[in-house]
Amino acid sequence: MTGVLPGWLRQYRRAWLPADLTAGVVVTLLLVPQSLAYALVAGLPAQAGLYASVVPLVLYALAGRSHAQSVGPMAVTSLLTAATLSRLAEPGSADYLALAAWLALLSGGLLYLMGRIRMGFIADALSRPVLEGFTAASAVLIVVSQLGPLVGLKGGGATLPAQLAGLFGQRESLAWPGVLLGGAALLWLVWARNRLRPLLQGLGLRPAVALLLSRTAPIVAVAAGIAMVTTQPWATGLPQVGPVPRGLPLPDLPALPAVRLTDLALPAFFIALVNYVQSLSVAQLLAAPRRETVDPEAELRALGLANLGAGFFGGFPVTGGLSRSLVNAEAGAQSQLASLVTAAGLALVMSTATGLLTHLPLAVLAATIVAAVGSMTSLTPLRVAWGTDRADAAGFAVTFLAVLLLGVDTGIVAGIVVSLAVWLARTGRPHIAELGRLPGSEHFRNVERFDAAATLPGVLFLRVDESLYFGNARHVREAILQRLDAHPVSRLVLVMSAVNRVDMTAVSMLQALDDQLACCGVALHLAEVKGPVAAVLERAGFPARFGGRVWLSAGAAWDALAPAPDFHI
């Protein structure tokens, strides 16, 4: 029986229980307004956010490895869902709800399958600058989309120009009660983020207690908003969440609307990719202080199950949330029991308190989204990348602008293309150094950087600082021939200490280069060939071709090719 229990439960300590219970309650208070708000960002009824929270929390707690990862709706995922489904169905319609569930099912199935076939490396498809550019631009779109509800107007639009045009067209309908209530909620949330904790500590509360109470600021805003629309005549006409069905959702496989499954397959893959990268990053961040490791494949499977659960229970795609998970960790979560407590708390709210949520003003929900997402719009990564690597800065900028001007789905495609293009540009033109030997040592260094590095008459040592593959084989061959034109020698030593892999194109290039150099009276030698590369070359017949021309080290090649000393008696 114990074999089927999750690892954290088999090793659970009674001393962890108070901290897990506290963290679970705190995250429940945070997740109620978040789940409602992110459902509206996704173009779904508010209850869909609650449905997308309960079952995924339970499934991740049973299958996940991160002690404090909190799975549920997230801002960027919600925006991707809206961008995908708004082209296929009317937001809020029955077809739209069914498509959202299928999107979660497809992305969950892909994640679980990738975990089973050990594709954790797929996270590397998005470089860090591209992911940060995508996140920052998505945050801008989310903030602008919520400016309308924040001031009593309708939001909408898949791109920044469309959103701004929509807001400008409604300028005559500005609702000042919405501006007052939404603005007050936003000011409170921004103030509470930076000022509430020091204030509470100044009143004598312990730092840990002050931190937890400061995290509940969104609940205070929600409660105040509900109180205003139910007691103050000036606020009663503001747009509200509306009726939220009471009770827990039942498992259901909705009928797929009249669209091709292929219309959802590619967006589901992109959502799965973004969700996985986000969840893995959060898990690694939480694991670092505890000196724990994260199993990418296990994370894929757990996140896949969470999304499958969201789809079967009327939700939409989910992932690990950074802010929510950090709150969980800061509240003292020691295991995934905290998430089970959160799931139970949400279930209690859905069974007893949905009537209160009916009167929650949309302006307050919009304020919670703007306050939570606003910090993600930072351009600091662009400034850092510009100072360190211009190619990374270009990747950030292209992705950022593509998301804003063309939409999130096109933007993420552009980001992946940029990531691959940068990789091809870097590996397709590898650095090739001419090496010399430092006097009195076995060390070889670039002669352009070390003036003391000595060269060997009649011998040219070249080091290729990249693996050899179809993308750079032709360039490497041409670069080597150009070096030989500039340095006429009879022997060329190709130092392969930085070559970790060769493919068939590279093998063919080396064979052709050997033949061409032989016709010109130049002997090609290889040095410092790594084991995996040597195995490939051996299968290609290189031992017979290069007999006596393969050296264990550059120093061995130097000693063998150096002219014999001229002794005079």
Side-chain angles (χ1 to χ4, degrees), residues 410-435:
T410 304
I412 194 170
V413 173
I416 293 175
V417 170
V418 168
S419 294
L420 294 176
V422 169
W423 177 76
L424 286 173
R426 287 172 172 169
T427 62
R429 298 289 187 271
H431 177 255
I432 299 178
E434 179 184 350
L435 302 183

Side-chain angles (χ1 to χ4, degrees), residues 222 383 402 445:
V222 166
R383 293 195 295 271
R445 293 293 184 267

Side-chain angles (χ1 to χ4, degrees), residues 12 60 63 92 207 264 277 313 357 374 431 454 456 540:
Y12 198 80
Y60 186 87
L264 290 178
V277 173
F313 284 85
L357 300 177
H431 177 255
L456 198 59

Side-chain angles (χ1 to χ4, degrees), residues 91-138:
S93 66
D95 282 354
Y96 194 94
L97 270 65
L99 287 171
W102 272 99
L103 197 59
L105 290 170
L106 287 174
S107 62
L110 286 170
L111 286 165
Y112 188 81
L113 177 62
M114 288 189 292
R116 278 296 177 191
I117 61 178
R118 306 190 65 81
M119 287 184 61
F121 62 86
I122 195 69
D124 300 328
L126 285 176
S127 67
R128 178 56 55 181
V130 166
L131 182 61
E132 289 175 338
F134 172 77
T135 302
S138 297

Side-chain angles (χ1 to χ4, degrees), residues 396-415:
F396 181 103
V398 169
T399 307
F400 184 82
L401 293 175
V403 171
L404 291 183
L405 302 179
L406 303 177
V408 289
D409 46 356
T410 304
I412 194 170
V413 173

Side-chain angles (χ1 to χ4, degrees), residues 457-520:
V459 183
L460 179 63
F461 283 77
L462 294 181
R463 186 189 67 218
V464 181
D465 293 335
E466 184 60 67
S467 292
L468 298 176
Y469 72 111
F470 67 92
N472 62 18
R474 182 182 60 84
H475 171 79
V476 169
R477 176 176 173 274
E478 293 178 352
I480 290 174
L481 293 176
Q482 289 176 2
R483 294 291 185 97
L484 288 172
D485 287 340
H487 302 82
V489 294
S490 60
R491 285 163 293 188
L492 167 65
V493 179
L494 200 58
V495 180
M496 301 179 69
S497 55
V499 178
N500 299 314
R501 183 180 62 85
V502 292
D503 64 4
M504 192 173 77
T505 304
V507 169
S508 298
M509 181 272 291
L510 291 174
Q511 292 172 335
L513 180 64
D514 184 40
D515 291 338
Q516 183 175 359
L517 294 182
C519 293
C520 300

